Amino acid sequence: MSELPPCPECACEYVYEDGPLLICPECAHEWAAADSAAKVYRDANGNELQDGDMVTLIKDLKVKGTSKTVKVGTKVRINRLVDEDHDIDCKIDGIGAMKLKTEFVKKA
Ligand SMILES: [Zn+2]
């Protein structure tokens, strides 16, 4: 039983896999099967990160839209890892909810 998603272009359901790609037989659209495997998130040292991990900032980061800076060495608990440019969804004491990049943290 196929669990492949329908074609994002024409909604055809007869999509098939070809290596890392998904291909639509109707409109020949090809795209990466990105969601078929869970994304692995890694810190600046290449260690795997999970939801709930404690991480430490490895550089000062300006908080967008404010004059505040989160200092290097600040400990942050990962609320959730998200598949976005800023992939760590977290909350920082004194700052509030914030998004960070995994490349700027290391596992505490
Ligand atoms: Zn299609």
Side-chain angles (χ1 to χ4, degrees):
M1 294 292 101
S2 174
E3 290 179 20
L4 297 175
C7 174
E9 293 290 312
C10 70
C12 166
E13 292 177 0
Y14 303 104
V15 166
Y16 60 92
E17 272 180 301
D18 183 10
L21 294 177
L22 295 178
I23 298 173
C24 174
E26 294 277 317
C27 70
H29 182 58
E30 295 180 7
W31 69 103
D35 295 332
S36 59
K39 184 174 173 182
V40 176
Y41 298 86
R42 295 186 189 281
D43 70 4
N45 295 329
N47 293 313
E48 204 173 320
L49 297 171
Q50 310 271 356
D51 291 2
D53 277 352
M54 290 298 300
V55 294
T56 307
L57 294 193
I58 59 168
K59 61 174 279 184
D60 288 354
L61 294 175
K62 286 216 168 70
V63 183
K64 215 172 163 185
T66 76
S67 57
K68 289 179 182 170
T69 303
V70 191
K71 293 281 181 201
V72 59
T74 301
K75 280 204 167 79
V76 179
R77 186 178 166 277
I78 298 173
N79 186 21
R80 204 162 56 93
L81 289 158
V82 289
D83 193 3
E84 290 172 16
D85 179 44
H86 288 63
D87 32 24
I88 298 178
D89 189 43
C90 63
K91 202 169 183 179
I92 299 175
D93 288 346
I95 306 277
M98 197 174 157
K99 294 230 168 111
L100 300 173
K101 292 189 180 193
T102 46
E103 65 198 86
F104 297 141
V105 304
K106 64 177 185 191
K107 214 163 172 174

